[in-house]
Amino acid sequence: MPPDQQLKAMEQQRALMQKAGTPMPPGMAMHMALLHQRLGQYEQARQYLELEAERYPSLRGFVTWLQKQNKEGKADEKS
């Protein structure tokens, strides 16, 4: 399934979970960040990574590493 379709399905699931008062499971926000990144939506990707790190503090180091990789990748693309 293409990233935009995956993202749409996940956004619908997130809305249902939010309405029910159910938190997103570990990894869901990170997966959504990856999909946004693949679509070139870097700000939305950053927001979902931050959401994942806020909800699951044990992932902060990994999220920081991913954000660093993203910045370095964008810098490489400009070269």
Side-chain angles (χ1 to χ4, degrees), residues 27-45:
M28 185 171 176
M30 197 170 293
H31 188 138
M32 293 173 81
L34 173 66
L35 294 172
H36 277 292
Q37 185 175 0
R38 286 186 178 167
L39 294 169
Q41 301 167 346
Y42 300 108
E43 180 57 26
Q44 292 92 332

Side-chain angles (χ1 to χ4, degrees), residues 8-79:
K8 183 177 179 181
M10 292 182 83
E11 287 288 358
Q12 290 171 344
Q13 183 64 35
R14 180 178 183 228
L16 290 172
M17 292 168 65
Q18 205 169 23
K19 189 174 183 179
T22 305
M24 291 180 7
M28 185 171 176
M30 197 170 293
H31 188 138
M32 293 173 81
L34 173 66
L35 294 172
H36 277 292
Q37 185 175 0
R38 286 186 178 167
L39 294 169
Q41 301 167 346
Y42 300 108
E43 180 57 26
Q44 292 92 332
R46 186 194 63 75
Q47 290 172 2
Y48 275 108
L49 285 174
E50 284 300 319
L51 178 62
E52 187 81 12
E54 287 172 16
R55 291 189 175 175
Y56 304 101
S58 63
L59 295 174
R60 172 57 67 190
F62 184 58
V63 166
T64 300
W65 179 81
L66 284 174
Q67 289 172 325
K68 182 179 179 199
Q69 298 305 308
N70 185 36
K71 286 179 185 174
E72 289 175 1
K74 286 170 70 175
D76 289 344
E77 289 173 9
K78 293 178 184 175
S79 305

